[in-house]
Amino acid sequence: MELVTEEEKQAYLTDGYIVREGVLSPEQIEEVKEALSRMVRKYGPDRSLADLVPGTAGSIGGGTMVRKRDSQFFIQFEAGEEPRLDDPEALELQVRKFMYFADEEPVFRDMLSGESPIARTASALLEDSILLFQDMALIKPPKIGATKPWHQDSAYFSVSPLNAVCGVWIAVDEATVQNGCMHMPRGQHHQGPLKHEHKRDCEIHVRKLDLSTLVPVPLKPGSALFFSGMIPHETPPNRSAHRRRALQFHFRASQSTILPGPEYDKLFKDKDGQPASCEYIRRQGV
């Protein structure tokens, strides 16, 4: 199933994404759920393993974190929620994000191996060998899961060329319109970089988007969305009673390069010639 057809390659180039069903088996999905739960229960309450980092007011992505000591790995909770560190079950239902967790559990290492369907599909779409450079688990807790506003993933990176990034978004729970599945305007990666601003989050103002091609992308557990780092997308809030967990990995073509910020500003710029990335905003201190 990991072999990509010419029709799928063309759809990826034209639309900016493809969907592959059954990338993870039901057994792997259960292992993923158990692994995510273990990480919360291990690091959430234990200050000898992970430090508690207070949240930032006024930001969607500014929730309290527990950060593993001497590691990049952290777990972030929904903004505005006081983490219930003494109640593991309640704490799990407050998680918004896991970041840089792939080495924590064997199930993640196995699914990202070079011969895995995930890696082989991403490699085929980028037409190159690949390098994993970001791993996240994105969670929308029931009732309180916040939106992730419109953005291009390449606005967070500094990879050149711009078409050298492939994101992989894998449903752990069923992802529906009601609980915050991915939404994408088909084909709008061809617009090039769009100016990002920092209000609630690093985001694109909706006036810059043509939503006439907007499609929701619901997914069954184990199915995956492979998408260009340049296609704008958002996930709406979860107002349902069901948690929505997803894994997200970013790969870049091995022939690509990482540019210093000022050099990337020259590449990732809006039609008016102004730098458009989230990194540019961060460097300006906004």
Side-chain angles (χ1 to χ4, degrees), residues 103-176:
D103 288 332
E104 290 293 320
E105 292 276 348
V107 64
F108 303 123
R109 293 194 292 271
D110 291 345
M111 74 174 64
L112 294 169
S113 70
E115 292 304 309
S116 71
I118 294 169
R120 292 187 64 185
T121 301
S123 178
L125 292 171
L126 290 176
E127 299 183 331
D128 195 357
S129 57
I130 54 172
L131 302 169
L132 174 72
F133 71 100
Q134 190 184 72
D135 51 285
M136 298 188 286
L138 304 171
I139 320 296
K140 286 191 188 288
K143 303 294 187 182
I144 62 171
T147 188
K148 175 63 179 179
W150 288 107
H151 65 284
Q152 295 166 298
D153 284 353
S154 288
Y156 287 92
F157 310 138
S158 55
V159 176
S160 175
L162 294 178
N163 64 356
V165 173
C166 178
V168 186
W169 197 97
I170 306 167
V172 176
D173 304 296
E174 184 171 4
T176 67

Side-chain angles (χ1 to χ4, degrees), residues 33-249:
K33 290 178 180 179
E34 292 168 6
L36 294 175
S37 178
R38 276 195 299 272
M39 289 190 291
V40 176
R41 292 166 185 259
K42 178 178 180 180
Y43 293 110
D46 194 337
R47 297 289 69 80
S48 70
L49 296 176
D51 296 317
L52 191 66
V53 182
T56 304
S59 172
I60 289 174
T64 298
M65 297 186 292
V66 288
R67 184 181 294 276
K68 182 181 178 182
R69 294 189 174 181
D70 302 317
S71 171
Q72 288 186 295
F73 169 60
F74 65 83
I75 302 170
Q76 185 176 52
F77 304 97
E78 280 289 340
E81 294 288 312
E82 186 67 31
R84 299 180 62 180
L85 302 174
D86 59 344
D87 186 337
E89 289 188 10
L91 187 64
E92 278 196 62
L93 293 177
Q94 295 178 304
V95 173
R96 175 178 175 82
K97 180 191 295 185
F98 297 79
M99 193 85 179
Y100 299 118
F101 64 94
D103 288 332
E104 290 293 320
E105 292 276 348
V107 64
F108 303 123
R109 293 194 292 271
D110 291 345
M111 74 174 64
L112 294 169
S113 70
E115 292 304 309
S116 71
I118 294 169
R120 292 187 64 185
T121 301
S123 178
L125 292 171
L126 290 176
E127 299 183 331
D128 195 357
S129 57
I130 54 172
L131 302 169
L132 174 72
F133 71 100
Q134 190 184 72
D135 51 285
M136 298 188 286
L138 304 171
I139 320 296
K140 286 191 188 288
K143 303 294 187 182
I144 62 171
T147 188
K148 175 63 179 179
W150 288 107
H151 65 284
Q152 295 166 298
D153 284 353
S154 288
Y156 287 92
F157 310 138
S158 55
V159 176
S160 175
L162 294 178
N163 64 356
V165 173
C166 178
V168 186
W169 197 97
I170 306 167
V172 176
D173 304 296
E174 184 171 4
T176 67
V177 172
Q178 292 73 30
N179 69 12
C181 70
M182 280 278 224
H183 285 62
M184 292 185 164
R186 184 183 287 120
Q188 288 200 40
H189 57 307
H190 297 299
Q191 289 191 73
L194 298 172
K195 179 67 176 178
H196 288 65
E197 53 192 37
H198 202 284
K199 295 191 179 297
R200 302 166 298 165
D201 202 341
C202 182
E203 58 189 286
I204 302 167
H205 196 288
V206 70
R207 68 174 178 269
K208 285 188 165 289
L209 300 167
D210 174 8
L211 299 183
S212 65
T213 61
L214 178 64
V215 289
V217 189
L219 294 174
K220 296 292 186 183
S223 294
L225 175 70
F226 290 80
F227 62 101
S228 165
M230 289 298 293
I231 190 167
H233 55 281
E234 72 153 1
T235 59
N238 183 2
R239 296 295 179 250
S240 78
H242 305 287
R243 180 167 40 171
R244 193 232 67 193
R245 289 168 287 188
L247 304 178
Q248 181 167 288
F249 306 110

